[in-house]
Amino acid sequence: MPTADEVKARIESGIPGAEADVTSDDNVHFSARVVAAEFAGLNLVEQHRLVYAIFEDGELGGSIHALALTTETQ
Amino acid sequence: MTDQPENPLREALADAIASNEVILFMKGSPEQPMCGFSARTCAALTATETEFAAVDVLADPRIRQELSSISNWPTIPQLFVRGELVGGADIVGQMYESGELAAVLGAPATAGSEPLPETTEPGSAPPLQIENRLG
């Protein structure tokens, strides 16, 4: 099971320059707030897709049962 | 060449998205959501007094698989308005809070000013069944 720190590291390495605050009580359900300049000019769906794309097929809904996501440009 | 579509389930999903102005793919039904994210998304739609079609993806695991291929979106729920993916639970919640959801749905703008109820009111529209035509 991934830890919140591992999920944070993956998001930050997947989106260069991004800062992620990730919390989890159980290492299955995660909550992430991601701030990245790369989100500028993208709508929310596109911003979330960038984050989702970091994870492998089946990982979201699988080992990461839930990832509540908030994205911001700054 | 044949009249039989190559992927009838995917075509049924695409058709449902195209032919319903507001359609929510969720776990469970609006009356009985099977997941907190689906429940919250239903609550936001109900609070904006929007009628919506709902599809239970738990009816067949292939629905979720095909839906995600169509939408390029890995998680459930997924809300479509006029054929466009609006987002999942987080985006719908965020748009509800900002009043943007009401604007997208064409609902009265005041709808976003009240906090979301904990549970959904039953039935703004009967659940839509996507038939499993592959089996």
Side-chain angles (χ1 to χ4, degrees), chain A residues 44-45 48-49 52 66-69, chain B residues 37 71-74 86 90-91:
Chain A
L44 288 172
V45 166
H48 282 222
R49 274 191 187 129
Y52 290 152
L67 177 66
L69 191 59
Chain B
F37 294 94
S71 61
N72 186 23
W73 193 261
V86 170
D90 300 315
I91 291 177

Side-chain angles (χ1 to χ4, degrees), chain B residues 22-93:
Chain B
V22 183
I23 182 167
L24 178 68
F25 293 88
M26 63 180 292
K27 293 181 181 176
S29 65
E31 295 74 26
Q32 197 166 13
M34 301 298 284
C35 156
F37 294 94
S38 289
R40 280 215 316 266
T41 308
C42 277
L45 288 172
T46 305
T48 53
E49 295 174 9
T50 304
E51 290 208 354
F52 60 98
V55 176
D56 180 4
V57 303
L58 298 178
D60 186 321
R62 284 171 291 190
I63 294 178
R64 180 174 179 168
Q65 196 182 334
E66 290 300 333
L67 177 66
S68 287
S69 318
I70 292 171
S71 61
N72 186 23
W73 193 261
T75 54
I76 301 295
Q78 297 184 23
L79 176 67
F80 291 81
V81 177
R82 290 181 288 276
E84 292 285 328
L85 176 68
V86 170
D90 300 315
I91 291 177
V92 171

Side-chain angles (χ1 to χ4, degrees), chain B residues 114-135:
Chain B
E114 288 176 28
L116 275 184
E118 284 295 312
T119 53
T120 61
E121 294 295 319
S124 60
L128 185 74
Q129 301 293 328
I130 296 291
E131 280 181 47
N132 170 15
R133 298 181 206 168
L134 294 178

